[in-house]
Amino acid sequence: MQYKIDSLEQLDQLLADPQFDIWRREGQTPLQALAWHLITHKPFDIAVILKGTCVREDTIVCQPHWDDEEFTEQIYAMYGPMFSLDNQELRTWLETTRLENVAAWVAYIVRRVELDKISNYYDAAQDFYADSWYDWNDYESGKMPARDFVNTVIGKVDEVNAHVADGKAKGMTMDEIVLHDAMWGLMPKDIDEELAAIAQETLKTAIDSLPVRPYIWSEAGKEEYAPAMLKMANEKLTAHGYDINYGKGYSIEQGYLMDYFSRLYWREAASKPED
């Protein structure tokens, strides 16, 4: 069976048909199935929506294996850039299409792609995205209109990108921006110049403190390095009047910093493999 879509009006009619399922395996609704078709079969192209797309049973991936790391990496490598808001064509379509429910499901994928860009690297921004996750539940339950959900996703991504651009405009590297926000304990609206200077100084010290060959990189080495760097960062912060609750109990700032220094340790190990 084939469905050929030649116009927005025809697509509207097709999606309204309760029999329409495009041979979905995982999608619970026609809109979800169509969104999965977009990410698993074609790079995003206006032609997919406006000029026609054919869907056949033998072309459908059985299900989106988000928990399968290798599969996720393949999908991201193939389609990630297409489903990023860096794709101006996609952004324009999301902002203007009359197929607002389809746009909501595509925006859900965009959110996943944008989150994957910073996952396990930029904790403060990752949590910033996660804090608004309830918006998707509100859309699914009918409490939030599709257009509002799309605008929320676009707005959140724009806010993260603007914050990063602000830091880079102030001469900071991406590592320094991530460390600045870790010290702040969340993704702030603006870069704090004093904290930025502390982050830059802390990162330099942390890099200078990394082991050198023939040191054997190990989990034990990381467990020695990361706490030592947390203590060092706290000393620099305390000297400037910042309190991250060090030695008194857990704080989000300490959690972010420990994760940051742990990743720095292993990133250095990956960049300099054993002979």
Side-chain angles (χ1 to χ4, degrees):
M1 179 179 290
Q2 283 190 359
Y3 294 104
K4 185 170 178 59
I5 302 166
D6 294 312
S7 67
L8 290 172
E9 290 73 21
Q10 186 176 352
L11 183 56
D12 279 327
Q13 294 171 7
L14 188 60
L15 293 176
D17 181 354
Q19 300 303 312
F20 176 71
D21 65 5
I22 70 166
W23 302 95
R24 65 181 179 272
R25 297 292 193 278
E26 178 72 9
Q28 299 302 305
T29 70
L31 302 176
Q32 185 178 12
L34 182 57
W36 280 117
H37 171 72
L38 290 175
I39 197 171
T40 56
H41 301 291
K42 294 180 183 291
F44 182 84
D45 191 319
I46 290 295
V48 173
I49 297 297
L50 296 181
K51 298 179 182 177
T53 181
C54 296
V55 182
R56 299 188 305 276
E57 182 177 16
D58 60 0
T59 66
I60 294 292
V61 172
C62 288
Q63 60 181 343
H65 303 283
W66 283 119
D67 293 331
D68 183 330
E69 184 175 350
E70 182 178 353
F71 179 84
T72 303
E73 289 178 356
Q74 291 175 355
I75 289 296
Y76 182 80
M78 293 168 62
Y79 300 106
M82 298 293 180
F83 280 83
S84 165
L85 285 186
D86 294 337
N87 180 349
Q88 188 57 50
E89 185 180 26
L90 172 61
R91 181 183 181 121
T92 298
W93 179 80
L94 285 170
E95 291 174 336
T96 61
T97 180
R98 287 175 287 169
L99 298 170
E100 295 185 346
N101 285 306
V102 177
W105 282 99
V106 174
Y108 176 82
I109 294 171
V110 167
R111 183 177 188 162
R112 169 72 69 173
V113 169
E114 294 289 347
L115 185 60
D116 284 348
K117 288 182 184 179
I118 59 172
S119 182
N120 298 317
Y121 170 59
Y122 191 178
D123 291 339
Q126 184 174 323
D127 286 349
F128 174 77
Y129 283 140
D131 285 345
S132 61
W133 191 250
Y134 67 87
D135 291 330
W136 175 251
N137 295 328
D138 285 348
Y139 164 68
E140 282 196 291
S141 66
K143 297 177 182 177
M144 173 179 279
R147 173 54 52 199
D148 289 353
F149 176 74
V150 172
N151 290 341
T152 294
V153 170
I154 292 173
K156 294 293 183 183
V157 174
D158 283 351
E159 195 166 341
V160 171
N161 289 342
H163 179 65
V164 170
D166 181 35
K168 290 185 175 180
K170 289 180 167 62
M172 300 175 72
T173 65
M174 190 65 202
D175 269 336
E176 290 165 352
I177 295 168
V178 172
L179 186 54
H180 167 278
D181 291 0
M183 291 174 165
W184 193 268
L186 50 79
M187 195 194 81
K189 183 173 179 59
D190 300 307
I191 296 290
D192 182 274
E193 292 188 6
E194 181 181 51
L195 199 60
I198 299 171
Q200 290 171 323
E201 181 183 345
T202 299
L203 180 59
K204 183 180 185 306
T205 302
I207 291 174
D208 290 343
S209 301
L210 284 163
V212 295
R213 299 303 180 193
Y215 183 88
I216 298 174
W217 299 78
S218 64
E219 187 67 21
K222 181 211 72 176
E223 290 178 0
E224 178 182 336
Y225 173 80
M229 294 304 99
L230 173 61
K231 180 180 179 182
M232 176 271 294
N234 176 67
E235 289 170 354
K236 293 183 183 298
L237 288 164
T238 300
H240 289 83
Y242 292 89
D243 181 8
I244 61 171
N245 209 42
Y246 184 79
K248 295 175 282 186
Y250 176 80
S251 68
I252 193 67
E253 296 91 340
Q254 292 181 67
Y256 283 168
L257 288 168
M258 279 289 287
D259 286 346
Y260 181 86
F261 293 127
S262 297
R263 288 191 293 263
L264 182 63
Y265 176 91
W266 284 121
R267 190 174 72 191
E268 180 71 7
S271 69
K272 297 179 181 178
E274 297 287 351
D275 294 332

